[in-house]
Amino acid sequence: MYRIKSQIDVKSESFQANKKAYQQLLETFRERTASVIERGKEKSVIKHKKRGKLLARERIDLLVDQNTPFLELSTLGAYDKYENQFPSAGIITGIGVIQGKESIIIANDATVKGGTYIKETIRKHVRAQEIAMENHLPCVYMVDSGGAFLPDQSHVFPDRFDFGRFFYNQARMSAAGIPQIAIVMGSCTAGGAYVPAMSDETIIVKEQGTIFIGGPPLVKAATGEEVTAEELGGADVHTSISGVADHFAEDDRHALSICRHIFETIEKKEKQKLDSVPVEEPFYDPKELYGIAPVDLKKAVDAREIIARIVDGSRFQEFKARYAPTIITGFAHIMGFPVGIIANNGVLFSETALKGAHFIELCTSRKIPIIFLQNITGFIVGKEYERKGIARDGAKLVHAVANANVPKFTVVIGGSFGAGNYAMAGRAYDPRLLFMWPNAKISVMGGEQASDVLIQVKKDQLALSGKEMPQKDIDQLKKSILDKYEHEGSAYYSTARMWDDGIIDPVDTRKVLAMGIAMSLSKKWEETKYGIFRM
Ligand code: COA
């Protein structure tokens, strides 16, 4: 493959200015991430440690194979919500390697409101299970939770993808041969009791783990019986009397080592074949992404410059390089894995959509995963384009993206607006993983366009009764919409609500995508079958 020839002058004023602005974005990102991870001085953390318990992330570190990374998802879930009382939404989820097998780990953080579940906690838990199902990854549940956060019950209990979905997913996964292992390291109350009870194999920690449908206060209220938590559902009871749990652990470390032994007995399934090559670092330094990444979305960025700093050797086999230049398509390798890349290089036209759809057909017929690099304002508008059938051609791309059965991975590197989001494998198109860069923005359209549309609608309304919209009202409406879109369009707003799987430093993009591809090999990919392409 040819090496991309960068046109960027790293000494130029514009590069340096972008880099400086990006440092600011990174600083904010690192500060916010640290604020949810480094909480050692908090009362609940001190209390947790005094009980001889490890923190959720420490437990994960001990569970995964040494010197292998853990890809944590949605670290900033629930960020800036509930007065920041739920760091990481009170649950740590991610992908780690246990005894050589890519696995999903779901660990309650008991230092956050007793590990109880708010809406975002549920979404993280269910999302992690979805990734497990789609990629056939064994699941480990480290349970340490008071169950539902009771004041928020209407958001956590009744709906299709609420608390009950955990157990449904566990049953379906178990039936599909996806191992379900629970380690009870703390409370497991009410509905929560079903996490270990629905698992294939369960470990429980002495004098820490408890499993019961109703805790001591509820039992007393209901029947008058006085009983301690340990007598009601401690490790001794469940491993020697009830049989609800299978393994008795002396402490957290022991429990984790039992879990690793269980993994020795889990079958290594045949993987999806993907012809990889030796890893080559990018020729152009990935740190240069800071000087190039679109901080100002109004400025055009040549997507090849981004690709050159993500792929192996900065080598790229471009497809249709001379045609429809607002989308860049081509093949490359990421950490040795072959990938097809689709990256925006401007607004989407009819021919752009056709080029994208054609390239997706190549990837699905060659069984190559697709990486979408989103920086898209949307599809072109106007009389000329509607008459040429932009809606029909755009639909072809959306159709190809929706039906492509090779793993898709999406990184929002700039803007993600309107139908462009759909055509570029936004969340609704089930990419296996979707990440945002700290500069990324996502909304139905840009704030400027949204305010212009609303002002025009208002003006037209008033015109019907012969009135005009005063400039003061125009300015006020414009400002309120711009502020709203600025706030709701930010990567932090998105990640707090799990519209993505997390915000990543651009430099980590290679590593994160490679982990995603490695995980996607655990299950054989289905054949792709397209429906009717409207011609
Ligand atoms: N809903 C809402 N808040 C809860 C809660 C619940 N189910 N369980 C605990 N909390 C809150 C506590 O009010 C406390 O909040 P604060 O920090 O603002 O004071 C915080 O979580 C920690 O609880 P605490 O009891 O001090 O911690 P702990 O580690 O000693 O015990 C539990 C944790 C979960 C074992 C214990 O609080 C408990 O048994 N909770 C009730 C569980 C229950 O019955 N759930 C039913 C779910 S359907």
Side-chain angles (χ1 to χ4, degrees), residues 47 51 85 110 112-114 116 145-151 187 189-191 215:
K47 181 164 112 179
R51 288 171 168 166
Q85 286 190 82
V112 178
K113 296 281 178 202
T116 52
S145 162
F149 183 73
L150 293 172
S187 184
T189 308

PDB file of all heavy atoms in Angstrom, residues 47 51 85 110 112-114 116 145-151 187 189-191 215, ligand 1:
ATOM      1  N   LYS A  47     -14.470   4.294  53.779  1.00  0.00           N
ATOM      2  CA  LYS A  47     -15.264   3.269  54.473  1.00  0.00           C
ATOM      3  C   LYS A  47     -15.138   1.910  53.759  1.00  0.00           C
ATOM      4  O   LYS A  47     -14.934   0.877  54.384  1.00  0.00           O
ATOM      5  CB  LYS A  47     -16.733   3.728  54.498  1.00  0.00           C
ATOM      6  CG  LYS A  47     -17.692   2.791  55.191  1.00  0.00           C
ATOM      7  CD  LYS A  47     -19.006   3.499  55.503  1.00  0.00           C
ATOM      8  CE  LYS A  47     -20.140   2.939  54.674  1.00  0.00           C
ATOM      9  NZ  LYS A  47     -21.437   3.542  54.930  1.00  0.00           N
ATOM     10  N   ARG A  51     -13.253  -1.761  55.157  1.00  0.00           N
ATOM     11  CA  ARG A  51     -13.920  -3.062  55.255  1.00  0.00           C
ATOM     12  C   ARG A  51     -13.073  -4.174  54.625  1.00  0.00           C
ATOM     13  O   ARG A  51     -13.519  -5.314  54.494  1.00  0.00           O
ATOM     14  CB  ARG A  51     -15.269  -2.999  54.539  1.00  0.00           C
ATOM     15  CG  ARG A  51     -16.296  -2.182  55.290  1.00  0.00           C
ATOM     16  CD  ARG A  51     -17.534  -1.979  54.429  1.00  0.00           C
ATOM     17  NE  ARG A  51     -18.631  -1.436  55.211  1.00  0.00           N
ATOM     18  CZ  ARG A  51     -19.734  -0.917  54.688  1.00  0.00           C
ATOM     19  NH1 ARG A  51     -19.881  -0.866  53.379  1.00  0.00           N
ATOM     20  NH2 ARG A  51     -20.678  -0.459  55.463  1.00  0.00           N
ATOM     21  N   GLN A  85     -23.221  13.287  41.655  1.00  0.00           N
ATOM     22  CA  GLN A  85     -23.183  12.332  42.775  1.00  0.00           C
ATOM     23  C   GLN A  85     -23.016  10.889  42.311  1.00  0.00           C
ATOM     24  O   GLN A  85     -22.927   9.984  43.135  1.00  0.00           O
ATOM     25  CB  GLN A  85     -24.484  12.432  43.570  1.00  0.00           C
ATOM     26  CG  GLN A  85     -24.556  13.682  44.413  1.00  0.00           C
ATOM     27  CD  GLN A  85     -25.749  13.583  45.334  1.00  0.00           C
ATOM     28  OE1 GLN A  85     -25.694  12.962  46.385  1.00  0.00           O
ATOM     29  NE2 GLN A  85     -26.842  14.162  44.907  1.00  0.00           N
ATOM     30  N   ALA A 110     -19.496   0.200  44.755  1.00  0.00           N
ATOM     31  CA  ALA A 110     -20.284   0.346  45.987  1.00  0.00           C
ATOM     32  C   ALA A 110     -19.999   1.666  46.703  1.00  0.00           C
ATOM     33  O   ALA A 110     -20.730   2.037  47.625  1.00  0.00           O
ATOM     34  CB  ALA A 110     -19.988  -0.829  46.914  1.00  0.00           C
ATOM     35  N   VAL A 112     -20.378   4.446  45.360  1.00  0.00           N
ATOM     36  CA  VAL A 112     -21.302   5.431  44.788  1.00  0.00           C
ATOM     37  C   VAL A 112     -22.724   5.036  45.186  1.00  0.00           C
ATOM     38  O   VAL A 112     -23.306   4.113  44.617  1.00  0.00           O
ATOM     39  CB  VAL A 112     -21.156   5.480  43.245  1.00  0.00           C
ATOM     40  CG1 VAL A 112     -22.152   6.458  42.646  1.00  0.00           C
ATOM     41  CG2 VAL A 112     -19.734   5.856  42.850  1.00  0.00           C
ATOM     42  N   LYS A 113     -23.235   5.675  46.222  1.00  0.00           N
ATOM     43  CA  LYS A 113     -24.608   5.401  46.709  1.00  0.00           C
ATOM     44  C   LYS A 113     -24.859   3.901  46.845  1.00  0.00           C
ATOM     45  O   LYS A 113     -25.860   3.359  46.318  1.00  0.00           O
ATOM     46  CB  LYS A 113     -25.638   6.026  45.754  1.00  0.00           C
ATOM     47  CG  LYS A 113     -25.561   7.537  45.692  1.00  0.00           C
ATOM     48  CD  LYS A 113     -26.238   8.181  46.862  1.00  0.00           C
ATOM     49  CE  LYS A 113     -26.118   9.680  46.828  1.00  0.00           C
ATOM     50  NZ  LYS A 113     -26.287  10.293  48.138  1.00  0.00           N
ATOM     51  N   GLY A 114     -23.940   3.238  47.493  1.00  0.00           N
ATOM     52  CA  GLY A 114     -24.100   1.805  47.749  1.00  0.00           C
ATOM     53  C   GLY A 114     -24.194   0.968  46.478  1.00  0.00           C
ATOM     54  O   GLY A 114     -24.734  -0.135  46.486  1.00  0.00           O
ATOM     55  N   THR A 116     -25.941   1.519  43.898  1.00  0.00           N
ATOM     56  CA  THR A 116     -27.324   1.405  43.402  1.00  0.00           C
ATOM     57  C   THR A 116     -27.437   1.936  41.965  1.00  0.00           C
ATOM     58  O   THR A 116     -26.565   2.641  41.471  1.00  0.00           O
ATOM     59  CB  THR A 116     -28.302   2.157  44.324  1.00  0.00           C
ATOM     60  OG1 THR A 116     -27.827   3.476  44.518  1.00  0.00           O
ATOM     61  CG2 THR A 116     -28.420   1.451  45.656  1.00  0.00           C
ATOM     62  N   SER A 145     -23.916  -4.182  45.203  1.00  0.00           N
ATOM     63  CA  SER A 145     -24.931  -3.173  44.891  1.00  0.00           C
ATOM     64  C   SER A 145     -26.194  -3.319  45.730  1.00  0.00           C
ATOM     65  O   SER A 145     -26.652  -4.433  45.994  1.00  0.00           O
ATOM     66  CB  SER A 145     -25.300  -3.303  43.402  1.00  0.00           C
ATOM     67  OG  SER A 145     -26.518  -2.668  43.142  1.00  0.00           O
ATOM     68  N   GLY A 146     -26.743  -2.160  46.091  1.00  0.00           N
ATOM     69  CA  GLY A 146     -28.021  -2.139  46.817  1.00  0.00           C
ATOM     70  C   GLY A 146     -29.219  -2.216  45.887  1.00  0.00           C
ATOM     71  O   GLY A 146     -30.341  -1.921  46.305  1.00  0.00           O
ATOM     72  N   GLY A 147     -28.989  -2.551  44.604  1.00  0.00           N
ATOM     73  CA  GLY A 147     -30.104  -2.678  43.653  1.00  0.00           C
ATOM     74  C   GLY A 147     -30.568  -1.328  43.141  1.00  0.00           C
ATOM     75  O   GLY A 147     -29.761  -0.419  42.933  1.00  0.00           O
ATOM     76  N   ALA A 148     -31.850  -1.185  42.968  1.00  0.00           N
ATOM     77  CA  ALA A 148     -32.375   0.058  42.389  1.00  0.00           C
ATOM     78  C   ALA A 148     -32.156   1.244  43.333  1.00  0.00           C
ATOM     79  O   ALA A 148     -32.301   1.101  44.553  1.00  0.00           O
ATOM     80  CB  ALA A 148     -33.863  -0.109  42.126  1.00  0.00           C
ATOM     81  N   PHE A 149     -31.796   2.384  42.765  1.00  0.00           N
ATOM     82  CA  PHE A 149     -31.758   3.632  43.542  1.00  0.00           C
ATOM     83  C   PHE A 149     -33.224   4.041  43.694  1.00  0.00           C
ATOM     84  O   PHE A 149     -33.851   4.507  42.746  1.00  0.00           O
ATOM     85  CB  PHE A 149     -30.936   4.686  42.793  1.00  0.00           C
ATOM     86  CG  PHE A 149     -30.787   5.979  43.537  1.00  0.00           C
ATOM     87  CD1 PHE A 149     -29.952   6.071  44.640  1.00  0.00           C
ATOM     88  CD2 PHE A 149     -31.486   7.116  43.133  1.00  0.00           C
ATOM     89  CE1 PHE A 149     -29.805   7.265  45.334  1.00  0.00           C
ATOM     90  CE2 PHE A 149     -31.347   8.311  43.829  1.00  0.00           C
ATOM     91  CZ  PHE A 149     -30.506   8.388  44.930  1.00  0.00           C
ATOM     92  N   LEU A 150     -33.753   3.802  44.882  1.00  0.00           N
ATOM     93  CA  LEU A 150     -35.209   3.818  45.044  1.00  0.00           C
ATOM     94  C   LEU A 150     -35.891   5.128  44.638  1.00  0.00           C
ATOM     95  O   LEU A 150     -36.966   5.092  44.025  1.00  0.00           O
ATOM     96  CB  LEU A 150     -35.581   3.380  46.459  1.00  0.00           C
ATOM     97  CG  LEU A 150     -35.245   1.890  46.711  1.00  0.00           C
ATOM     98  CD1 LEU A 150     -35.425   1.511  48.168  1.00  0.00           C
ATOM     99  CD2 LEU A 150     -36.077   0.987  45.809  1.00  0.00           C
ATOM    100  N   PRO A 151     -35.301   6.308  44.905  1.00  0.00           N
ATOM    101  CA  PRO A 151     -36.010   7.522  44.471  1.00  0.00           C
ATOM    102  C   PRO A 151     -36.184   7.598  42.951  1.00  0.00           C
ATOM    103  O   PRO A 151     -37.045   8.309  42.464  1.00  0.00           O
ATOM    104  CB  PRO A 151     -35.099   8.660  44.974  1.00  0.00           C
ATOM    105  CG  PRO A 151     -34.268   8.051  46.056  1.00  0.00           C
ATOM    106  CD  PRO A 151     -34.102   6.615  45.680  1.00  0.00           C
ATOM    107  N   SER A 187     -23.202  -6.388  48.637  1.00  0.00           N
ATOM    108  CA  SER A 187     -24.637  -6.605  48.688  1.00  0.00           C
ATOM    109  C   SER A 187     -25.212  -7.019  47.329  1.00  0.00           C
ATOM    110  O   SER A 187     -24.729  -6.612  46.276  1.00  0.00           O
ATOM    111  CB  SER A 187     -25.267  -5.291  49.136  1.00  0.00           C
ATOM    112  OG  SER A 187     -26.625  -5.461  49.290  1.00  0.00           O
ATOM    113  N   THR A 189     -29.078  -7.343  46.552  1.00  0.00           N
ATOM    114  CA  THR A 189     -30.402  -7.327  47.180  1.00  0.00           C
ATOM    115  C   THR A 189     -31.529  -7.321  46.159  1.00  0.00           C
ATOM    116  O   THR A 189     -31.391  -6.745  45.082  1.00  0.00           O
ATOM    117  CB  THR A 189     -30.522  -6.047  48.049  1.00  0.00           C
ATOM    118  OG1 THR A 189     -29.410  -6.008  48.901  1.00  0.00           O
ATOM    119  CG2 THR A 189     -31.780  -6.030  48.887  1.00  0.00           C
ATOM    120  N   ALA A 190     -32.639  -7.897  46.537  1.00  0.00           N
ATOM    121  CA  ALA A 190     -33.877  -7.873  45.753  1.00  0.00           C
ATOM    122  C   ALA A 190     -33.604  -8.341  44.321  1.00  0.00           C
ATOM    123  O   ALA A 190     -32.993  -9.385  44.120  1.00  0.00           O
ATOM    124  CB  ALA A 190     -34.510  -6.486  45.804  1.00  0.00           C
ATOM    125  N   GLY A 191     -33.991  -7.536  43.309  1.00  0.00           N
ATOM    126  CA  GLY A 191     -33.753  -7.920  41.921  1.00  0.00           C
ATOM    127  C   GLY A 191     -32.302  -8.271  41.692  1.00  0.00           C
ATOM    128  O   GLY A 191     -31.978  -9.191  40.925  1.00  0.00           O
ATOM    129  N   GLY A 215     -33.920  -7.888  52.279  1.00  0.00           N
ATOM    130  CA  GLY A 215     -32.924  -7.715  53.332  1.00  0.00           C
ATOM    131  C   GLY A 215     -33.547  -7.778  54.724  1.00  0.00           C
ATOM    132  O   GLY A 215     -34.778  -7.814  54.863  1.00  0.00           O
TER     133      GLY A 215
HETATM  134  N1  COA B   1     -31.806   3.577  47.044  1.00  0.00           N
HETATM  135  C1  COA B   1     -31.321   4.822  47.220  1.00  0.00           C
HETATM  136  N2  COA B   1     -30.249   5.111  47.972  1.00  0.00           N
HETATM  137  C2  COA B   1     -29.652   4.089  48.589  1.00  0.00           C
HETATM  138  C3  COA B   1     -30.102   2.769  48.474  1.00  0.00           C
HETATM  139  C4  COA B   1     -31.219   2.531  47.658  1.00  0.00           C
HETATM  140  N3  COA B   1     -31.670   1.307  47.416  1.00  0.00           N
HETATM  141  N4  COA B   1     -29.292   1.982  49.183  1.00  0.00           N
HETATM  142  C5  COA B   1     -28.359   2.774  49.712  1.00  0.00           C
HETATM  143  N5  COA B   1     -28.574   4.045  49.359  1.00  0.00           N
HETATM  144  C6  COA B   1     -27.756   5.235  49.675  1.00  0.00           C
HETATM  145  C7  COA B   1     -27.735   5.585  51.134  1.00  0.00           C
HETATM  146  O1  COA B   1     -28.840   6.398  51.453  1.00  0.00           O
HETATM  147  C8  COA B   1     -26.426   6.317  51.247  1.00  0.00           C
HETATM  148  O2  COA B   1     -26.586   7.614  50.713  1.00  0.00           O
HETATM  149  P1  COA B   1     -25.715   8.866  51.266  1.00  0.00           P
HETATM  150  O3  COA B   1     -24.295   8.549  50.931  1.00  0.00           O
HETATM  151  O4  COA B   1     -26.240  10.030  50.500  1.00  0.00           O
HETATM  152  O5  COA B   1     -25.974   8.924  52.730  1.00  0.00           O
HETATM  153  C9  COA B   1     -25.523   5.550  50.306  1.00  0.00           C
HETATM  154  O6  COA B   1     -26.404   4.889  49.399  1.00  0.00           O
HETATM  155  C10 COA B   1     -24.653   4.521  50.980  1.00  0.00           C
HETATM  156  O7  COA B   1     -25.458   3.702  51.802  1.00  0.00           O
HETATM  157  P2  COA B   1     -24.942   3.118  53.207  1.00  0.00           P
HETATM  158  O8  COA B   1     -26.056   2.293  53.788  1.00  0.00           O
HETATM  159  O9  COA B   1     -24.393   4.194  54.056  1.00  0.00           O
HETATM  160  O10 COA B   1     -23.723   2.221  52.715  1.00  0.00           O
HETATM  161  P3  COA B   1     -23.307   0.756  53.093  1.00  0.00           P
HETATM  162  O11 COA B   1     -22.136   0.434  52.264  1.00  0.00           O
HETATM  163  O12 COA B   1     -23.161   0.586  54.554  1.00  0.00           O
HETATM  164  O13 COA B   1     -24.541  -0.180  52.653  1.00  0.00           O
HETATM  165  C11 COA B   1     -26.163  -1.117  51.170  1.00  0.00           C
HETATM  166  C12 COA B   1     -24.896  -0.266  51.323  1.00  0.00           C
HETATM  167  C13 COA B   1     -26.556  -1.071  49.719  1.00  0.00           C
HETATM  168  C14 COA B   1     -25.834  -2.545  51.566  1.00  0.00           C
HETATM  169  C15 COA B   1     -27.287  -0.601  52.105  1.00  0.00           C
HETATM  170  O14 COA B   1     -27.407   0.789  51.983  1.00  0.00           O
HETATM  171  C16 COA B   1     -28.639  -1.218  51.822  1.00  0.00           C
HETATM  172  O15 COA B   1     -28.920  -2.310  52.259  1.00  0.00           O
HETATM  173  N6  COA B   1     -29.518  -0.498  51.072  1.00  0.00           N
HETATM  174  C17 COA B   1     -30.867  -0.939  50.787  1.00  0.00           C
HETATM  175  C18 COA B   1     -30.874  -1.937  49.675  1.00  0.00           C
HETATM  176  C19 COA B   1     -32.269  -2.313  49.252  1.00  0.00           C
HETATM  177  O16 COA B   1     -33.072  -2.732  50.054  1.00  0.00           O
HETATM  178  N7  COA B   1     -32.529  -2.199  47.949  1.00  0.00           N
HETATM  179  C20 COA B   1     -33.763  -2.539  47.403  1.00  0.00           C
HETATM  180  C21 COA B   1     -33.600  -2.435  45.918  1.00  0.00           C
HETATM  181  S1  COA B   1     -35.036  -2.994  45.063  1.00  0.00           S
END
